[in-house]
Amino acid sequence: MSETLGVVVIGRNEGERLRRCLESVKACGLHAVYVDSGSSDDSVQIAQSIDFTVVNLDLAIPFTAARARSEGYDKLLQEYPNLKYVMFVDGDCEIELPWPRIAETFLQEHEEVGIVAGRRRERFPEASVYNRLCDFEWDAPTGQVAAIGGDSIVRVSAYQAAGGFNPTVPAGEEPELCSRIRAAGWKVWRINTEMTRHDAAMSHFGQWWKRLTRTGYGGFDVERRFKTGVFQRILYSAFVWGILIPLLAVIAAVTAYRYFGVIGAVAVVAGVGAVWLLQILRITIRTHRLGRPWRQSLEYGWFTMLAKFPIAMGSLKSLWACLTRQGAQIIEYKSAVKSPSA
């Protein structure tokens, strides 16, 4: 068992996904704690049955993944104060057995790196187009990067220098932390090594839509408050394609109808549609050149453009929450997984 690396697992209503996650942690021989964010299923009982220390978050304080990670880190270091590295992993992921050793060795050999991640893969990419889209998302560039999301291993000294997770961040807490780690003089790195297997468990369109709404909600909140720049491009693109262009199209179509009748309005709509199709085609071709089959490339192109709308909607939700002084909102896209009866 490693005496320098520990794990914080966070979860909410993950059921059997959590069991697989915790068993993978045990297989790696790592000290760990599990943080539960008010699950209504048997997640806590599952963790206790595998002899995990469980941190139950106070129900009176709003839940965020950042808060769960922060309190889990504090508990882990309280129990194992000599740890040098801490891995954060979501309860719907399984750790690949070689990953902790490879990452720990990398951090030992690269003292300038404060946080490192590897390759996250989707567990069932063939189950739905939405799972495949997640698998696309995980296939991110390696080397020095601005930020990493989800699972990662952080150097304790870098985490403390950056001030740890901000519990008030509703989503996008990892990129926000990465921006402070970089500001503290450390590097953020992704290596080309299998790290975790993720179970998105998305089988219908509504789940995908909620997940992207959460991206917009958290990304806008992070950029509004901390100006990290990490979400700037995706938010700008969502604003242009999801709000500005449709709005201008409606105005142009109404004006064309007023002066030229139905033919004018149809011409405007057709022109905007053609621009959209060209953008989808551009993304499809670019994705295919990266080695993806044509069908998957087309899926990616179509859903990348469609995603502009839920991301824009999430941004507007976040803006409204700010203007009305509402607290952080949790946007869940998964259903609880019931454990099989004994």
Side-chain angles (χ1 to χ4, degrees):
M1 178 171 288
S2 174
E3 297 301 323
T4 57
L5 174 61
V7 181
V8 173
V9 180
I10 67 169
R12 175 181 168 89
N13 294 328
E14 293 295 350
E16 283 302 300
R17 292 186 291 256
L18 177 64
R19 186 185 298 278
R20 291 195 298 264
C21 174
L22 299 183
E23 288 177 347
S24 74
V25 174
K26 285 290 186 182
C28 292
L30 301 172
H31 297 300
V33 299
Y34 167 65
V35 185
D36 189 82
S37 297
S39 292
S40 58
D41 66 359
D42 54 356
S43 291
V44 172
Q45 290 77 13
I46 289 174
Q48 291 173 336
S49 71
I50 310 178
D51 296 324
F52 267 71
T53 297
V54 176
V55 178
N56 288 291
L57 295 184
D58 185 349
L59 301 179
I61 305 173
F63 295 133
T64 66
R67 178 187 164 210
R69 296 181 198 279
S70 178
E71 293 196 20
Y73 174 92
D74 292 342
K75 181 63 175 179
L76 185 68
L77 268 292
Q78 177 185 332
E79 294 196 352
Y80 308 101
N82 294 324
L83 293 178
K84 294 182 179 179
Y85 316 103
V86 173
M87 178 174 184
F88 295 98
V89 61
D90 295 336
D92 56 3
C93 295
E94 299 168 66
I95 302 175
E96 299 287 0
L97 191 59
W99 164 250
R101 176 184 53 81
I102 293 173
E104 189 171 8
T105 300
F106 179 85
L107 287 170
Q108 290 169 350
E109 295 176 350
H110 299 81
E111 296 184 357
E112 75 282 5
V113 176
I115 184 168
V116 63
R119 291 290 193 185
R120 184 192 249 194
R121 304 293 186 188
E122 198 54 41
R123 180 179 174 86
F124 300 113
E126 73 287 348
S128 71
V129 60
Y130 313 111
N131 284 3
R132 283 196 296 277
L133 291 170
C134 275
D135 205 45
F136 272 85
E137 182 181 333
W138 308 145
D139 192 14
T142 57
Q144 186 174 353
V145 294
I148 49 182
D151 315 320
S152 62
I153 294 181
V154 65
R155 193 184 300 271
V156 168
S157 54
Y159 182 92
Q160 293 175 343
F165 283 105
N166 184 331
T168 68
V169 175
E173 69 279 359
E174 305 97 336
E176 192 278 322
L177 174 63
C178 286
S179 70
R180 286 185 282 115
I181 286 177
R182 288 188 289 108
W186 301 87
K187 293 181 179 180
V188 178
W189 216 272
R190 181 181 290 108
I191 58 179
N192 190 19
T193 301
E194 299 299 307
M195 176 180 62
T196 51
R197 194 71 54 171
H198 178 259
D199 187 2
M202 286 194 292
S203 58
H204 57 82
F205 181 80
Q207 292 174 300
W208 174 83
W209 187 276
K210 284 185 178 180
R211 187 172 183 272
L212 271 297
T213 301
R214 185 184 66 178
T215 297
Y217 187 94
F220 184 87
D221 176 77
V222 168
E223 293 305 325
R224 177 183 64 83
R225 290 199 284 161
F226 309 109
K227 297 177 176 58
T228 67
V230 175
F231 294 99
Q232 186 174 349
R233 182 175 179 181
I234 189 173
L235 293 175
Y236 175 78
S237 179
F239 171 77
V240 171
W241 290 99
I243 298 176
L244 184 61
I245 290 179
L247 181 60
L248 292 177
V250 169
I251 295 173
V254 171
T255 302
Y257 177 78
R258 181 178 179 182
Y259 290 99
F260 305 104
V262 174
I263 294 178
V266 171
V268 170
V269 173
V272 173
V275 172
W276 266 83
L277 290 175
L278 286 173
Q279 184 70 354
I280 292 172
L281 180 61
R282 187 184 69 84
I283 297 172
T284 298
I285 294 173
R286 183 185 64 192
T287 304
H288 179 68
R289 287 175 176 172
L290 294 176
R292 295 280 183 171
W294 276 112
R295 178 181 174 182
Q296 293 183 15
S297 299
L298 182 58
E299 288 176 347
Y300 182 73
W302 165 252
F303 279 99
T304 293
M305 291 304 294
L306 190 60
K308 309 303 181 184
F309 295 104
I311 293 174
M313 181 183 294
S315 301
L316 293 177
K317 282 179 176 286
S318 183
L319 175 61
W320 179 252
C322 171
L323 295 175
T324 56
R325 300 182 182 274
Q326 297 176 11
Q329 176 184 348
I330 293 181
I331 301 176
E332 293 184 294
Y333 68 92
K334 287 185 180 179
S335 299
V337 178
K338 298 298 183 183
S339 300
S341 302

